[in-house]
Amino acid sequence: MNMASRQAWLGVRLFDGAMQHEEPMAVLVEGDTIRQVVQAQDLSEAALEGYEIVARQGVMTPGLIDCHTHVVYGGNRAAEFEARLEGADYKEIARRGGGILSTVRQTRAASEEELFAAALPRLRALMAEGVTTIEIKSGYGLDLETELKLLRVARRVAEELPIRVSPTLLGAHALPPEYAGRSDDYIALVCEEMIPAAAEARLADAVDVFCESIAFSVAQCERVFEAAARHGLAIKGHTEQLSNLGGSAMAARHGALSVDHIEYLDEAGVAAMAASGTVATLLPGAFYFLRETQRPPIALLRQYGVPMAVATDVNPGTSPLSSILLMMNMACTLFQLTPTEALRGITANAARALGLGERLGTIAPGMQADLCLWDVEQPAELAYAFGPARLRQRVLAGEMRDAA
Ligand code: DI6
Ligand code: FE
């Protein structure tokens, strides 16, 4: 006999990951799986036999998914923030060995315990807003040992906190000082040591790169993607963030799950993404924090039907902003997404950006029961207002799990 718990939410206003339902809906969950999603008025008494009724009103969305973060790192970069406000340029700081490399120094010096403790408040803030799945990248180690250390911290997050984690190896984030002038040798280290070790230890689901003048070339990123494919790992890229190198089109040709930032993406890149089904992950926090002015080509992405995700990019240099709801608001105000597009961006499309769209991000029969119930009247309010806590219930795999 199946003893799985049965829970029903009745009369909810439902945003199911793709669209908002006009009629009040009922969502029935058995164990960790969604069983039925029907109009509340069509549900018979008999269908509720054996179900605990959890709520009779509220707005329901899928559990929120933050599909691009660097939430595990050492130290902070408040001094760099001050320097930038006085006129220093992000790329210039990076070229002088600051920026990402200053976080690398602080991350190498930190223990796993310290890195976990430092990430905890950021993770709690995200969970308190309804995040049930988070992607976590390495990328502040830039040597084999520290990259694996970061991925082990990501694994510990999954083991100890009520949140799903999709871990990503970002060895090709920046050139570490010990490889100065030898970037091809560093790429060989990423391809021949980091990727095989992360794959072997099952510490990463995907491999990411930073394709940019201050990081790695399109050809170097392509080598990384080929190595990832040899080891059965998915790929994604930080592309076209600060300039247009064509990294997005190359990543799309290799079947990337997503390309992220993409402020400088051109039409050829958009067309390549449409052809490969690659998700466009928008990171309005980094755009805002760097006071960028070049916006991602939203109209072209819509025209070509490229799915758009929205994420925090939580990191110490360009987006120290641990709020997925603020990102949704910024996606609307800065990039002119509609609230519905922004909601898709942190649910169904974010799941797709992680290769998890078959299980997560949508409220439909057979999907995992990761759900949020909100004290608002309509889903658009989640993008519209920011600040007051509005999350009433956070459900992970069918269980009420507050942000621990
Ligand atoms: N682009 C970003 O915005 C982050 N990484 C990347 O490739 C920022 C990394 C940092 O400045 O620490
Ligand atoms: Fe990033």
Side-chain angles (χ1 to χ4, degrees):
M1 201 171 80
N2 188 345
M3 298 296 288
S5 75
R6 292 176 173 180
Q7 304 176 84
W9 282 260
L10 305 180
V12 294
R13 286 210 80 173
L14 183 66
F15 175 81
D16 66 9
M19 59 169 271
Q20 181 179 328
H21 294 254
E22 288 313 316
E23 302 299 325
M25 300 295 288
V27 176
L28 274 54
V29 168
E30 192 176 328
D32 65 0
T33 305
I34 297 166
R35 284 294 170 219
Q36 262 200 77
V37 181
V38 292
Q39 282 193 16
Q41 64 179 32
D42 295 344
L43 200 68
S44 67
E45 285 289 316
L48 282 171
E49 180 73 39
Y51 277 86
E52 172 200 353
I53 295 169
V54 186
R56 290 181 182 274
Q57 59 176 4
V59 163
M60 179 176 274
T61 67
L64 306 185
I65 300 175
D66 192 351
C67 68
H68 180 139
T69 87
H70 312 243
V71 73
V72 180
Y73 58 81
N76 74 75
R77 307 240 290 277
E80 177 185 316
F81 176 56
E82 291 182 278
R84 281 202 299 107
L85 291 172
E86 283 166 13
D89 172 71
Y90 179 74
K91 283 197 223 176
E92 206 34 59
I93 293 169
R95 286 196 192 97
R96 289 202 309 263
I100 293 175
L101 293 183
S102 88
T103 299
V104 170
R105 287 189 287 276
Q106 301 182 79
T107 302
R108 286 179 177 178
S111 67
E112 271 180 55
E113 187 61 41
E114 288 165 340
L115 291 170
F116 182 79
L120 207 46
R122 300 188 278 266
L123 291 159
R124 286 201 176 114
L126 291 166
M127 290 190 290
E129 282 190 337
V131 173
T132 50
T133 297
I134 187 171
E135 189 250 20
I136 300 181
K137 302 177 195 296
S138 66
Y140 289 117
L142 309 185
D143 59 33
L144 178 64
E145 184 196 337
T146 317
E147 286 295 304
L148 295 181
K149 176 169 82 176
L150 288 165
L151 292 173
R152 280 194 301 272
V153 174
R155 182 168 65 191
R156 183 170 165 199
V157 170
E159 287 167 355
E160 296 190 15
L161 301 181
I163 192 164
R164 299 178 198 275
V165 174
S166 174
T168 300
L169 173 69
L170 175 55
H173 193 195
L175 188 65
E178 58 276 18
Y179 279 84
R182 296 188 295 131
S183 65
D184 280 328
D185 292 346
Y186 180 68
I187 290 296
L189 175 78
V190 171
C191 295
E192 287 156 30
E193 294 190 31
M194 288 184 193
I195 290 173
E200 163 87 9
R202 296 186 180 279
L203 280 168
D205 292 341
V207 173
D208 195 350
V209 297
F210 188 17
C211 187
E212 193 56 64
S213 59
I214 54 168
F216 300 101
S217 69
V218 174
Q220 289 172 326
C221 294
E222 190 160 26
R223 283 170 60 196
V224 174
F225 289 159
E226 285 162 358
R230 283 197 294 278
H231 290 273
L233 299 177
I235 60 159
K236 57 181 83 171
H238 287 70
T239 54
E240 270 71 71
Q241 179 186 8
L242 307 168
S243 61
N244 180 10
L245 299 185
S248 305
M250 182 279 289
R253 279 200 305 278
H254 284 268
L257 290 173
S258 72
V259 292
D260 304 28
H261 289 288
I262 57 167
E263 277 84 342
Y264 288 82
L265 181 66
D266 60 18
E267 184 160 2
V270 176
M273 291 166 67
S276 63
T278 298
V279 174
T281 297
L282 308 174
L283 305 171
F287 172 90
Y288 155 85
F289 198 72
L290 291 180
R291 290 181 292 134
E292 293 287 342
T293 51
Q294 169 92 17
R295 297 204 243 166
I298 304 299
L300 279 175
L301 293 166
R302 284 191 189 119
Q303 186 188 320
Y304 280 80
V306 173
M308 293 182 279
V310 174
T312 60
D313 196 17
V314 172
N315 78 72
T318 67
S319 193
L321 307 168
S322 306
S323 170
I324 193 83
L325 295 178
L326 179 60
M327 294 310 123
M328 197 164 47
N329 178 272
M330 285 185 180
C332 297
T333 55
L334 300 176
F335 296 164
Q336 281 179 274
L337 262 61
T338 65
T340 298
E341 286 174 325
L343 269 167
R344 284 181 196 137
I346 58 172
T347 56
N349 289 347
R352 195 165 158 187
L354 298 178
L356 298 171
E358 304 288 306
R359 285 176 59 218
L360 304 179
T362 301
I363 298 178
M367 303 293 280
Q368 279 288 302
D370 291 1
L371 308 167
C372 288
L373 192 71
W374 305 90
D375 278 324
V376 295
E377 285 171 16
Q378 55 203 0
E381 286 174 61
L382 299 175
Y384 151 78
F386 177 75
R390 294 160 297 176
L391 182 67
R392 196 191 323 161
Q393 293 172 354
R394 178 179 177 279
V395 180
L396 182 73
E399 284 181 47
M400 298 292 167
R401 300 298 296 270
D402 289 337

